Amino acid sequence: MSVDDLTLLIDRSATAPLAVQIATGLRTAATAGRLRGGDRLPSSRALAARLGVSRTVVTAAYDQLHAEGWLTGRHGSGTYLTAAPAPTPGTPAAAADPDPQRDLLDLEPGAPCTEAIDRAAWRRAWRAASDRIPLARKDRRGDPDYRTAVAEHLLRHRGLGAGSDTVVLATAGASAAVGELASALLRPGDAVAVEEPGYQRAVGAFRAAGMRVLPVPVDGDGLRVDLLPPHVRAVYCTPAHQFPLGSRMPAARRVALVEFARRTGAVVIEDDYDGELRYDTAPLPLLATLAPDVVVHLGTTSKILTPTLGIGWLVGSPEIAKAVLAHRESTGTDPSAAAQRVVVELARHGDLARHLRRLRREMPPRRALVVAELRGHGLAVIGDDAGSHLLVPLPSAAAEARVIAAARRRGVLLDGLGRHHSGARHTFGIPLGYAALPHAELATAVRITADCLAGG
């Protein structure tokens, strides 16, 4: 079927935004085989005129499909459909996509702003990475150029100097690094303290390694150090921007945590998952800067670039690095060498630093849009002016469930604070991520969410 003959139906009375309806129509046509890989789509201006909508609406639909990998742009040529699998013969087109959440406007926290990625720089980095000679054996510490790039990145953007007392290792991301540390440093049955509410993938990594997880409450200043059990072997925390409450651990509490670790012999695992995204004030010194002898620092590319890469880094003492490398040798695990090369190329040409500057310009107006809409509905907002998510508190699990269900009926995907507990649930609310969606869709999704919260 010619693209010009394709019928796209939009319903102006539907709750789903027009951009979502257009994206859904094109996605369904691709999975049903009515469009094929390599088909050239109309320009955003031409399709907007044909459908009787604004060009902004079509651009938002195309941007979403670009982000999902359905479309690709060719300089000076136009926008094309990438290869897409057709459904099994005899299967309804609607059943071809197994993920019903794909068509929802996603406000769950944890997704990066891929819209800010310079696509030309992204493609250039992959091409340059592919030009390097294929490896015969991998360095389980990570590509030397990658570790150098990470060290420079941490010194420039996080004030962490990796010297003779610390070692930088490549990782497969923060959660994978937590699992490696648990297996390399601890023994099954050892107690580890985690933030409550907190990052449940880290909790899952500890439990998969046989650790006994002890949830410790957090407040407006992060982890309650005064409530840490004295017998824990490790403490996992997110001091720069507590996940999911969004608070920052002040200097006095950081010092108290370091003193606890030195007094008890525990190791502190500092997950700095989005520490680069602070744009209100200068960041406080990292725990790893204060105490490299007892702190392991973790970082990731998933929040500042994209989870496509699936890599991060670990900075720890030589003894800790040696234990992690021994674990990798015994299990044969290590992070993607190809992804490390891509980051090296992004850093080599200054594209990584430029990307971070774009993010720091991009995030404040997004957050301001969300805060203004929520407060305009009389809603409370919690969280530092940093990162890419904030929190709207709610009084109960029932209220949380009502808001999530109401938003879903109107085409918006929300997360609930209740599921971020590893013990009994006691804190409720809606953590809102504002990085993933294009601006037009973000405005629509937040407006719907504020309505649901105000009525929830």
Side-chain angles (χ1 to χ4, degrees), residues 366-386:
R366 285 172 173 264
R367 189 181 192 280
L369 181 156
V370 176
V371 170
E373 188 69 46
L374 294 172
R375 288 181 174 163
H377 283 72
L379 299 165
V381 176
I382 292 176
D384 273 15
D385 193 1

Side-chain angles (χ1 to χ4, degrees), residues 44-104:
S44 58
R45 189 184 306 277
L47 186 57
R50 175 175 152 191
L51 297 177
V53 299
S54 73
R55 187 183 179 190
T56 302
V57 169
V58 176
T59 299
Y62 279 8
D63 285 345
Q64 180 62 32
L65 294 173
H66 267 292
E68 294 173 9
W70 289 98
L71 302 183
T72 184
R74 301 179 189 173
H75 183 67
S77 176
T79 300
Y80 292 80
L81 183 74
T82 58
T88 302
T91 302
D97 185 353
D99 184 4
Q101 297 184 166
R102 182 187 293 275
D103 294 333
L104 299 177

Side-chain angles (χ1 to χ4, degrees), residues 4 19 23 42 84 282 288 430 456:
D4 292 334
I430 303 295

Side-chain angles (χ1 to χ4, degrees), residues 155-172:
L155 182 60
R156 176 183 296 186
H157 298 284
R158 300 300 289 125
L160 176 60
S164 59
D165 56 347
T166 56
V167 177
V168 177
L169 299 181
T171 71

